[in-house]
Amino acid sequence: MNIITLILIGISLSMDTFSLSLSLGTFNINKKQCFLFSFIVGTFHFVMPLLGQLLGASVSSFLIVNPDKLLFIIFVFIAIEMLVELLSKEEKKYDFSLLNMIIYGFSVSIDSLTVGIGLNSIISSNFLGPFLFSLFSFFFTFLGLVIGNYSYEKLGKASKILGLIIILILALMHLIK
């Protein structure tokens, strides 16, 4: 298996989390939360492909809900929360609790499960792919949060509008897949 191919898969798996992180970063999330959320996403991007490898083709019989439709629902929910906060007269701190971090981390890692199903046929090592996916998703999540936070500091409310637009685009992309 070509390492370049694994790197490209890892980068592509990290784009949803990067986009979500750009949006979430506009809510002025502190560095500790940025690191913790990035770690959670990285962990899910390691575990999900391993589960996919273990379960193989039988996983499709367990998935009752289409993953893209599930992501659409989650992104719409996040967009509604963002819109309510944006229209609110008072500046509120976004609820970036551990439970929300886990839910968001899981939601952007579902695609790693499906990649893991086919990973056995393209790589002999069970851990190299998931390890690389984990590193890339950690990096892109952290980068998205930092850029989103920076844009919040520089652009203020406009950055939240941009974050809302990004979330809505992500939701629509998963609706039309």
Side-chain angles (χ1 to χ4, degrees), residues 104-133:
Y104 299 157
F106 176 78
S107 71
V108 296
S109 302
I110 294 172
D111 54 353
S112 295
L113 177 73
T114 57
V115 167
I117 293 171
L119 208 52
N120 284 335
S121 64
I122 58 175
I123 187 170
S124 58
S125 168
N126 284 344
F127 293 103
L128 181 61
F131 177 73
L132 288 174
F133 304 161

Side-chain angles (χ1 to χ4, degrees), residues 58-67 70 106 110 113-114 117:
S58 64
V59 129
S60 61
S61 66
F62 294 117
L63 292 178
I64 299 168
V65 177
N66 180 329
L70 179 63
F106 176 78
I110 294 172
L113 177 73
T114 57
I117 293 171

Side-chain angles (χ1 to χ4, degrees), residues 152-164:
Y152 170 76
E153 292 171 5
K154 297 298 179 192
L155 302 174
K157 196 170 189 173
S159 68
K160 292 182 180 183
I161 294 170
L162 180 62
L164 178 61

Side-chain angles (χ1 to χ4, degrees), residues 6 13 18 29 34 36 40-42 55-56 68 75 84 87 103 117 128 132 140-141 144 152 154 167 169 171 176:
L6 281 179
L13 287 174
F18 178 71
I29 296 167
C34 288
L36 181 58
I40 289 169
V41 170
L55 298 175
D68 286 316
F75 287 148
V84 167
L87 297 175
I103 291 169
I117 293 171
L128 181 61
L132 288 174
F140 281 110
T141 301
Y152 170 76
K154 297 298 179 192
I167 287 292
I169 290 170
I176 60 176

Side-chain angles (χ1 to χ4, degrees), residues 7-161:
I7 290 171
L8 292 174
I9 293 170
I11 291 171
S12 66
L13 287 174
S14 301
M15 290 301 102
D16 277 355
T17 189
F18 178 71
S19 300
L20 176 64
S21 298
L22 280 173
S23 299
L24 293 176
T26 63
F27 285 92
N28 202 19
I29 296 167
N30 67 48
K31 296 291 184 206
K32 180 181 175 185
Q33 290 172 319
C34 288
F35 183 81
L36 181 58
F37 181 59
S38 300
F39 180 78
I40 289 169
V41 170
T43 301
F44 273 120
H45 273 83
F46 181 78
V47 171
M48 297 298 261
L50 287 177
L51 286 175
Q53 286 177 307
L54 291 173
L55 298 175
S58 64
V59 129
S60 61
S61 66
F62 294 117
L63 292 178
I64 299 168
V65 177
N66 180 329
D68 286 316
K69 303 306 182 229
L70 179 63
L71 277 174
F72 169 76
I73 292 167
I74 291 169
F75 287 148
V76 167
F77 177 73
I78 294 169
I80 291 169
E81 281 186 305
M82 292 174 77
L83 183 62
V84 167
E85 197 278 332
L86 186 63
L87 297 175
S88 173
K89 299 289 182 206
E90 60 202 51
E91 183 78 16
K92 288 191 283 185
K93 189 77 173 155
Y94 189 70
D95 180 20
F96 209 56
S97 66
L98 181 61
L99 178 62
N100 280 347
M101 287 187 215
I102 291 170
I103 291 169
Y104 299 157
F106 176 78
S107 71
V108 296
S109 302
I110 294 172
D111 54 353
S112 295
L113 177 73
T114 57
V115 167
I117 293 171
L119 208 52
N120 284 335
S121 64
I122 58 175
I123 187 170
S124 58
S125 168
N126 284 344
F127 293 103
L128 181 61
F131 177 73
L132 288 174
F133 304 161
S134 177
L135 288 179
F136 281 109
S137 64
F138 175 89
F139 172 76
F140 281 110
T141 301
F142 193 79
L143 182 65
L145 290 169
V146 169
I147 291 171
N149 206 345
Y150 178 79
S151 70
Y152 170 76
E153 292 171 5
K154 297 298 179 192
L155 302 174
K157 196 170 189 173
S159 68
K160 292 182 180 183
I161 294 170

